[in-house]
Amino acid sequence: MESDVDKLLIILGHVVVVFFVFAVALGLPFNGLMGALSSVLFFTAVYAMMVLALNLHWGYAGVFNIGIAGFMAVGVYVMAILSSPTEAGATSVPGLGLPLPIGILGGVLAAALVGLVAALPALRLRADYFAIVTVAFSEIIRLTLNSRTLQEFTVAGVTTGTGGATGITMPGNPVRLLFYDGFGAGAEPALLGSVLFPLFRDLRIELIPPGSSWLGVVPLPAFTLDLAVEPPVISNWAYVLVLTGFVALFYVLLVRTGNSPFGRVLKAIREDETVAKSLGKNTNRFKIVAFMFGCGLMGLGGILWQGSQGFTNPGAFRPIITFYIWVALIIGGAGSNTGSVLGGALFAGALWEGPVYVRRVVTNFVDFGDTPSTFPAAVGPFIEGEVLPFLAFMLGNVSALRFILVGVILVVLMQRRPEGLLGHRKEEAAAIPLTRPDGGHDAADDGGAQ
């Protein structure tokens, strides 16, 4: 593993292999395996995008932003208000009915402008106080979206709103139109769907036909490789591929930003803002531009994350989402774009989806009996030497155990590798290598003194 990309590919390969083993242990068909992989790769992609955006703030500029969920919410809600249908259903509020690209662009710009509003007064504060401002700003956004006052309102004769605590309907996922002729549950397959759905639904390879024998003497059991995949899994994989393209776009954009003169100034501010100021750089302006840029990417990431679900509400943007994204950045390593993608993959596979599948696999092979309803009821038999009730209680509360696992991982990383798996702070100031291919020797070194 000579490069960061090699490490990233190996980690992703291990994630795929682990979930393949889970699927085999659970006896899932090929369709179940593909569904599990699409789920973990979906979370890998969305967390990778959000961590890449955060890496611009913290890894490049040293700006401590813990209000990520708020900027996601701004992008998602503005997109939903702009592009949702003007005729709302019984459970939502009407939108403006604008084309989806305009809604996405509006959501990204709105997130960037809200980032400007937050940054102008707050960047004069020290890093820890700025963090307090951003998390407070994020909660103000969430509580505002949750307010009944803005649940439905009229502007220039047009009625729209945030939906309040009920939530708001999102525009239909355009990737679905590649396979269906509409967004409804009973939509007929479109051209691509009419070709792929029957092909994958009946994809079975007969490796050993019935009645086969070895050398005409030993009969062999019939064996058919079932590779059938249902239409919903196919459309989910299509969206995962779209998200993968956006992850690549985020990655290339941030790599080029980091290697540009603008990015090198950000790194100088991160290391020592006083020195950067002494060289004539307007550090506040650089930090504001970087903060707006990162907030816009967070808004776009939120749109791609929540936009596939058709519906959202303020509960999807709780502060815990910001914490998860920070954990993924710490795992991968601040300052490394490859580490950001790596951290997203490890968080989604090992901490988010992994524990759920571990519980399913263990309970599939071990009968724990009745699960204790309280922690004392589980600890009592454990002290007496009965392990199964305690294990049953732990597996039954695996969602809560995620927090314990996250805490343990953070403690270990802070002790053993505080810079993260791929984090690095020492970088060349030049964007191109300055050494000669021959190690720096030339003719003057060899014969110039003669």
Side-chain angles (χ1 to χ4, degrees):
M1 298 188 295
E2 296 182 357
S3 68
D4 287 353
V5 177
D6 293 335
K7 299 174 185 177
L8 175 61
L9 293 177
I10 289 174
I11 292 296
L12 289 175
H14 278 77
V15 170
V16 172
V17 169
V18 167
F19 277 83
F20 176 78
V21 172
F22 285 157
V24 172
L26 292 171
L28 298 179
F30 186 73
N31 182 71
L33 169 62
M34 297 304 290
L37 288 179
S38 68
S39 177
V40 70
L41 292 178
F42 170 83
F43 283 110
T44 295
V46 294
Y47 272 104
M49 284 188 290
M50 301 310 301
V51 177
L52 282 168
L54 177 60
N55 190 48
L56 175 63
H57 285 170
W58 177 246
Y60 281 2
V63 176
F64 195 9
N65 175 18
I66 51 176
I68 304 165
F71 301 111
M72 290 173 56
V74 170
V76 171
Y77 268 83
V78 170
M79 184 275 290
I81 291 173
L82 291 177
S83 297
S84 292
T86 54
E87 297 181 0
T91 59
S92 186
V93 294
L96 302 182
L98 298 177
L100 183 59
I102 295 179
I104 294 175
L105 180 61
V108 173
L109 292 178
L113 290 176
V114 170
L116 173 63
V117 172
L120 280 176
L123 279 176
R124 299 180 182 181
L125 304 173
R126 290 197 320 232
D128 46 355
Y129 292 107
F130 180 77
I132 296 172
V133 169
T134 54
V135 71
F137 201 79
S138 174
E139 280 298 278
I140 289 172
I141 293 172
R142 188 179 67 86
L143 294 175
T144 300
L145 296 175
N146 211 22
S147 171
R148 291 185 179 181
T149 305
L150 299 178
Q151 182 172 354
E152 189 168 327
F153 55 85
T154 301
V155 178
V158 179
T159 300
T160 185
T162 64
T166 306
I168 188 170
T169 300
M170 307 284 286
N173 187 350
V175 177
R176 180 179 169 83
L177 296 180
L178 296 175
F179 302 96
Y180 298 94
D181 58 6
F183 296 109
E188 295 294 326
L191 177 60
L192 186 60
S194 62
V195 173
L196 293 181
F197 292 165
L199 175 63
F200 284 96
R201 187 185 290 117
D202 303 320
L203 186 59
R204 294 173 178 85
I205 303 174
E206 198 173 65
L207 297 179
I208 303 178
S212 299
S213 61
W214 181 62
L215 299 178
V217 178
V218 180
L220 298 175
F223 180 75
T224 300
L225 187 61
D226 189 352
L227 301 177
V229 180
E230 296 298 321
V233 177
I234 295 174
S235 59
N236 289 343
W237 266 98
Y239 193 65
V240 168
L241 293 177
V242 171
L243 291 178
T244 303
F246 273 97
V247 172
L249 179 64
F250 275 45
Y251 183 90
V252 172
L253 181 62
L254 291 178
V255 167
R256 293 183 66 87
T257 299
N259 292 333
S260 67
F262 175 78
R264 294 198 292 275
V265 173
L266 291 182
K267 295 171 186 177
I269 295 172
R270 176 194 68 194
E271 298 299 334
D272 196 323
E273 186 173 355
T274 304
V275 173
K277 284 183 178 180
S278 68
L279 296 175
K281 302 299 181 181
N282 187 339
T283 58
N284 280 337
R285 188 184 67 177
F286 276 93
K287 288 195 292 185
I288 288 173
V289 172
F291 194 76
M292 290 179 62
F293 185 21
C295 290
L297 293 180
M298 291 171 183
L300 177 58
I303 291 170
L304 295 171
W305 186 342
Q306 299 292 324
S308 64
Q309 302 177 14
F311 181 84
T312 191
N313 58 39
F317 306 101
R318 295 171 298 164
I320 192 65
I321 300 297
T322 298
F323 174 72
Y324 288 155
I325 295 169
W326 266 101
V327 169
L329 177 67
I330 293 171
I331 292 174
S336 170
N337 291 310
T338 308
S340 299
V341 182
L342 179 76
L346 288 176
F347 181 85
L351 300 179
W352 189 254
E353 293 286 295
V356 177
Y357 278 88
V358 169
R359 177 184 61 188
R360 292 178 60 185
V361 170
V362 174
T363 55
N364 189 49
F365 290 97
V366 181
D367 183 13
F368 291 97
D370 296 334
T371 301
S373 58
T374 62
F375 185 72
V379 173
F382 179 73
I383 296 175
E384 297 174 359
E386 297 182 17
V387 181
L388 291 182
F390 181 75
L391 292 179
F393 178 81
M394 298 293 282
L395 291 174
N397 294 273
V398 69
S399 297
L401 286 176
R402 285 174 176 164
F403 294 99
I404 299 176
L405 183 59
V406 167
V408 170
I409 289 176
L410 290 180
V411 170
V412 172
L413 281 175
M414 292 301 101
Q415 290 181 342
R416 302 296 181 90
R417 197 175 180 87
E419 71 276 12
L421 297 180
L422 298 182
H424 53 79
R425 292 288 185 171
K426 295 181 180 179
E427 302 172 359
E428 293 184 358
I432 58 174
L434 301 180
T435 57
R436 298 186 180 90
D438 58 357
H441 295 286
D442 54 20
D445 297 330
D446 296 331
Q450 296 180 357

